Amino acid sequence: MNDPRPPGEASGFRPYHEYRRLDPEQMADAARAVCERLNRRRSVRAFSSEAVPRAVIESCLLAASSAPSGANQQPWQFVAISDPQVKSQIRKAAEAEEQRFYGDRASQAWLDDLAPLGTDAHKPFLEDAPWLIAIFSEKWHFEQGDEKKKHYYVTESVGIATGMLIAALHEAGLATLTHTPSPMGFLREVLGRGAQERPFLLLVVGYPEPEVQVPDIARKTLPQIATFI
C-alpha cells in the first residue's frame, strides 16, 4: 500500500515485513522465469483497437509508482488517455513534429540507424491503441503555504518508474511502444499540464494487431552488457 503522507514528509521507520527471502534454487528459478517473460517483450507499432479495462491500467500505474525516487519525492505524473478526440489531437501534433524530424532535424546517420525499424512520420497507433499514457517529470511541487519544493534526481527517478510501468503492462498481457517525438511540448499544451511538469515519454498501450510483425533484431548477450569483477 502506498504511504498516504505527502512526498518528503518525515515518516519514521518500521519493520520491513513485505520482504520474502527465497532459497538459492527458488531464487534462480524466479530469476530465470522473469527473464524469459520479459525477453518476450517487443515494441510494436500496430495495435488493435480492442478495449483494455481501466482497472488494468490503474494497477500497472500503481506498480510504477512503487519505484524508488530521489528523497522519496516521486516526481512523476501519469496521464492515461482513452478519449478518441484527445488521442486525435495528440496524433496530429506528434505527426507535425515527426514530419519536421524526418524532413530536416535528424542527421542522415540517425535516419540510417532507424531504417531497419521501419519507422516514419506517420503514427496511426496513436489513435488505434486503446490507451496512451503520457509520462511527465515534475521539477518541483508546491507545499503548504505555496512554498516551492525542488525535486532531486528527477530524470533517473522517472526513468526507473517508466521501466517498471512497461514491465508491469507486459506482465499484464499488453503490448507497448515508447514514443518520443521531439520536441514534446505539445503534450503539456494538449493535456493542460502545469509549468512544473515536463513531458518525458508517451507510452502507447494495448493489444498488438493480430499477425503483427516486428523487426528481426537481436538483443546483446550478457558478456556484451555486463562485467563481473
Side-chain angles (χ1 to χ4, degrees):
M1 182 180 294
N2 288 338
D3 193 328
R5 287 163 287 214
E9 182 177 304
S11 56
F13 291 85
R14 64 171 178 80
Y16 181 22
H17 293 306
E18 295 86 353
Y19 174 75
R20 65 185 183 95
R21 178 168 178 150
L22 303 177
D23 64 40
E25 184 175 350
Q26 290 175 315
M27 191 184 306
D29 288 344
R32 279 192 298 268
V34 73
C35 179
E36 290 173 1
R37 292 197 304 271
L38 290 181
N39 268 321
R40 292 196 290 268
R41 189 210 62 79
R42 290 297 302 270
S43 297
V44 304
R45 291 177 171 81
F47 286 82
S48 164
S49 60
E50 183 179 352
V52 170
R54 173 173 165 167
V56 174
I57 304 300
E58 290 177 348
S59 293
C60 291
L61 291 174
L62 286 172
S65 73
S66 70
S69 62
N72 190 37
Q73 290 174 327
Q74 304 163 52
W76 44 68
Q77 287 290 325
F78 304 98
V79 183
I81 305 143
S82 62
D83 186 306
Q85 291 186 336
V86 178
K87 289 194 293 182
S88 177
Q89 286 181 276
I90 290 174
R91 178 184 177 182
K92 288 176 183 177
E95 287 186 335
E97 295 295 353
E98 293 287 75
Q99 291 284 358
R100 287 187 279 270
F101 171 81
Y102 283 94
D104 55 32
R105 284 180 182 160
S107 66
Q108 188 57 50
W110 195 346
L111 294 175
D112 290 344
D113 286 339
L114 288 173
L117 304 179
T119 64
D120 58 30
H122 302 289
K123 309 298 179 184
F125 48 75
L126 294 175
E127 288 188 275
D128 295 340
W131 290 96
L132 303 178
I133 301 177
I135 302 168
F136 291 85
S137 60
E138 280 189 324
K139 296 178 288 184
W140 46 267
H141 73 273
F142 284 116
E143 291 194 331
Q144 292 181 351
D146 292 333
E147 178 186 356
K148 186 184 288 188
K149 180 72 172 178
K150 179 183 176 181
H151 291 169
Y152 309 101
Y153 299 106
V154 173
T155 300
E156 295 86 348
S157 301
V158 179
I160 295 169
T162 299
M164 291 179 64
L165 175 58
I166 292 170
L169 291 164
H170 176 73
E171 287 285 276
L174 295 170
T176 58
L177 175 66
T178 53
H179 184 49
T180 52
S182 179
M184 289 192 288
F186 66 86
L187 281 176
R188 189 163 58 191
E189 297 171 10
V190 171
L191 300 174
R193 308 305 295 180
Q196 77 277 20
E197 296 181 14
R198 177 174 296 176
F200 182 81
L201 186 141
L202 185 60
L203 194 61
V204 187
V205 181
Y207 299 106
E209 187 71 27
E211 305 303 323
V212 67
Q213 294 194 351
V214 296
D216 187 11
I217 56 178
R219 295 186 170 102
K220 292 181 179 180
T221 63
L222 185 63
Q224 290 176 303
I225 65 166
T227 301
F228 291 82
I229 300 174

